[in-house]
Amino acid sequence: MRFLKVHGAGNDFILVTGPDADTPQDWRTTAVRLCNRRTGIGGDGLVTSILSSASAGVLNVACYNADGSVATMCGNALRSAAWCAARSHGLQEMTLVMNGVKHDAVVRDDGVSVTAEVGPVDMRLLEAVWNGRPFWFDSAHTGTEHVVAIVDDVDAVDTKTFGKLVRHHQNLAPLGSNVNFVQIIGDQALKIRTYERGVEAETLSCGSGAVAAVVIATRRGLICAKTTTVHNQAGTPLVVSPHSERPPGRTYWISGPVTQVFEGELV
């Protein structure tokens, strides 16, 4: 089985395409084995991408988290799959289908953009206390569950411990949620740290989390409903923009770089 190791702004994946991706196997178990950073290839997730229609530019994409769970939506996995499709099939504009949801994708020399759909938003969903200080978390469904807390200094947050606590909060049962800590750092600029469900750790970047951060910051009146730069732990920002041809607040573009680290073959 051939694979690519790629990352979208620091969010790293093992990417399998073509006939290998279409070979029946227990991908959840495979993801756990291969994503292990000590005994496997290492990654936040395993992504399979299958070209279902070359003429229409449609690919079926699945993302399996490092713990074997299925990601219902992963913006950086979609961006990585689009980058690979451009390289392998010459596609620059395409449709990616993940868990039955269609996402538009555009690949350019300066980066890869995919769409994310926003569902229910629930302000002040839960309150959690850390070091004696209360934090309010709002929720925004961006294809997957996210909660967002606006903080004064994201670098001062114990993302791993506090994120894990909130991820399993009773108000989020039974699925739990991805947990984002967001700081306003300038005009249309945010800084984010994300504890990612399924990886069960802080990741360097999260595309759907970046969209959730923009949605909540906009709802709170902290930024305007226009293009926003979201800075992450990787130091490679993602850009989140409202889709100009869709209803306001419903669809966003996630844009940023995709980088191949290496490629190999499992024998």
Side-chain angles (χ1 to χ4, degrees):
M1 184 175 73
R2 295 201 60 80
F3 68 91
L4 297 178
K5 178 66 185 294
V6 298
H7 72 86
N11 201 186
D12 63 333
F13 303 98
I14 302 159
L15 184 62
V16 182
T17 64
D20 288 331
D22 207 15
T23 302
Q25 65 173 288
D26 184 351
W27 287 108
R28 295 187 182 211
T29 301
T30 302
V32 172
R33 178 169 58 89
L34 297 184
C35 289
N36 190 297
R37 296 191 183 277
R38 292 185 178 274
T39 60
I41 299 168
D44 292 328
L46 168 66
V47 179
T48 61
S49 179
I50 302 170
L51 183 66
S52 62
S53 173
S55 59
V58 178
L59 296 99
N60 292 317
V61 182
C63 180
Y64 304 88
N65 293 317
D67 69 352
S69 60
V70 177
T72 55
M73 193 279 185
C74 181
N76 284 324
L78 288 168
R79 294 193 317 101
S80 297
W83 176 88
C84 184
R87 175 193 180 194
S88 301
H89 307 293
L91 299 173
Q92 288 188 306
E93 297 185 8
M94 66 203 82
T95 299
L96 307 177
V97 182
M98 180 178 281
N99 289 295
V101 178
K102 294 181 179 180
H103 301 267
D104 296 333
V106 179
V107 180
R108 298 286 186 260
D109 291 340
D110 59 349
V112 182
S113 302
V114 298
T115 55
E117 302 295 326
V118 177
V121 176
D122 191 350
M123 306 300 288
R124 296 173 73 88
L125 175 65
L126 66 90
E127 184 184 35
V129 177
W130 185 255
N131 287 337
R133 181 182 174 185
F135 291 82
W136 278 103
F137 289 83
D138 310 315
S139 73
H141 196 283
T142 56
T144 187
E145 293 78 10
H146 279 277
V147 292
V148 176
I150 305 297
V151 300
D152 296 329
D153 181 5
V154 291
D155 293 326
V157 177
D158 184 348
T159 307
K160 180 180 179 180
T161 308
F162 193 21
K164 183 177 182 179
L165 175 69
V166 175
R167 179 254 188 273
H168 293 287
H169 195 282
Q170 61 183 5
N171 287 23
L172 302 174
L175 296 176
S177 177
N178 299 286
V179 182
N180 305 274
F181 302 93
V182 176
Q183 177 184 350
I184 312 300
I185 60 172
D187 182 28
Q188 299 303 123
L190 310 177
K191 188 173 182 180
I192 188 172
R193 294 178 68 183
T194 302
Y195 182 93
E196 200 163 334
R197 181 185 64 186
V199 182
E200 304 307 328
E202 180 177 7
T203 53
L204 295 180
S205 173
C206 179
S208 57
V211 176
V214 168
V215 169
I216 295 304
T218 302
R219 286 288 187 100
R220 286 188 170 271
L222 301 173
I223 59 174
C224 299
K226 60 182 183 180
T227 298
T228 303
T229 302
V230 182
H231 298 265
N232 49 43
Q233 288 298 94
T236 308
L238 293 174
V239 177
V240 178
S241 306
H243 198 301
S244 61
E245 299 175 3
R246 306 280 178 85
R250 179 61 189 272
T251 307
Y252 288 81
W253 287 100
I254 314 166
S255 305
V258 173
T259 304
Q260 177 179 324
V261 182
F262 59 84
E263 58 184 303
E265 183 177 1
L266 291 169
V267 296

